[in-house]
Amino acid sequence: MFNDNLKAIRKEKGYTQESLAIELNVVRQTVSKWEKGLSVPDAEMLQRIAEVLDVSVVRLLGAEEQTQEESRNELAEQLARINEQLAIKNRRARKIWKAVIIIPIILIIILSVLFILGRVNYTENQTPAGRVAYTCTLDGETYSYEFEYNKNYQVISAGGDSWIDDHVDVQYEDANQAAAHLKDYFKEHGGTVTVTEQEGIKLTE
């Protein structure tokens, strides 16, 4: 390839990138780009490089010595191939950079949407849709207890007399199950349960 040949011949002739750039009246970065295969010189500059390094253009391009006419044709073909390869390389690089930029943006958007949906779902789950309060009697004692729940009947809060918390297992996620267990406990022990307040959607138990 031209870039490898240029680097090898430059070193063979005792030039640094800086000294060759001065001879060619270009900046050192231009020579560096040629040798890295990031760009190629045009035909006129290629001829100038060959003159400065005292080699044929054909040798710079890595081809065998040919007639002048063949050499010109080979030069044109070589430059065309190099430019085509460089164009392909640049297109691939642009695609990679686009992917590097676009993929994180897509991930950020997806995560943002998931976060928003999660917040909305959390807010809905924590928004009371119903409330029911009970008065419970057992062995001459009266106790009060209530449940607050969302539209899916998930218990948001529950509480009342500590006696019920100590004796009745009402730690259910579903308000219907919790209320049913409260009623069952008092009925099984000869007590009663009466709804004293009901707000929002009613329980289905």
Side-chain angles (χ1 to χ4, degrees):
M1 286 292 293
F2 165 74
N3 59 313
D4 294 326
N5 293 337
L6 174 61
K7 185 175 182 179
I9 295 171
R10 172 181 62 77
K11 290 183 176 180
E12 176 188 319
K13 299 294 183 176
Y15 283 95
T16 63
Q17 288 185 347
E18 184 69 35
S19 61
L20 180 59
I22 292 172
E23 289 289 336
L24 297 173
N25 197 28
V26 297
V27 296
R28 185 195 63 79
Q29 288 80 357
T30 299
V31 177
S32 177
K33 286 182 178 180
W34 290 339
E35 293 187 355
K36 289 179 179 178
L38 299 177
S39 65
V40 293
D42 57 23
E44 183 178 348
M45 178 56 73
L46 191 63
Q47 185 65 47
R48 175 64 182 149
I49 295 170
E51 291 173 0
V52 170
L53 295 178
D54 193 25
V55 295
S56 67
V57 172
V58 174
R59 184 184 171 192
L60 270 177
L61 295 175
E64 296 180 356
E65 294 293 341
Q66 299 169 315
T67 65
Q68 187 174 0
E69 182 63 30
E70 290 174 335
S71 186
R72 281 198 297 268
N73 293 337
E74 179 68 18
L75 170 60
E77 290 176 5
Q78 286 274 13
L79 285 175
R81 282 197 295 269
I82 292 173
N83 277 312
E84 182 180 356
Q85 291 170 358
L86 185 60
I88 293 172
K89 188 175 181 180
N90 287 337
R91 284 197 296 270
R92 288 176 180 170
R94 283 195 295 271
K95 287 180 180 179
I96 292 172
W97 276 111
K98 285 181 180 179
V100 168
I101 294 172
I102 293 173
I103 290 175
I105 292 175
I106 292 174
L107 288 176
I108 290 172
I109 292 172
I110 292 173
L111 291 174
S112 298
V113 170
L114 290 176
F115 176 78
I116 292 171
L117 291 176
R119 291 292 298 176
V120 169
N121 186 56
Y122 175 81
T123 301
E124 288 181 351
N125 287 340
Q126 296 302 310
T127 301
R131 175 180 169 275
V132 60
Y134 299 100
T135 296
C136 310
T137 60
L138 182 63
D139 298 331
E141 297 292 335
T142 301
Y143 310 98
S144 60
Y145 209 81
E146 68 176 49
F147 299 100
E148 194 173 54
Y149 43 91
N150 62 24
K151 65 180 182 179
N152 297 317
Y153 296 102
Q154 294 173 317
V155 176
I156 297 174
S157 64
D161 288 304
S162 58
W163 187 93
I164 293 180
D165 287 322
D166 293 338
H167 293 80
V168 185
D169 181 14
V170 289
Q171 301 303 312
Y172 289 85
E173 182 179 345
D174 184 89
N176 286 299
Q177 293 179 338
H181 188 73
L182 178 70
K183 292 179 179 179
D184 290 343
Y185 178 88
F186 278 91
K187 288 180 180 178
E188 289 172 1
H189 290 78
T192 62
V193 175
T194 306
V195 175
T196 53
E197 288 185 59
Q198 175 70 69
E199 298 176 4
I201 60 174
K202 294 182 179 181
L203 297 180
T204 59
E205 47 79 27

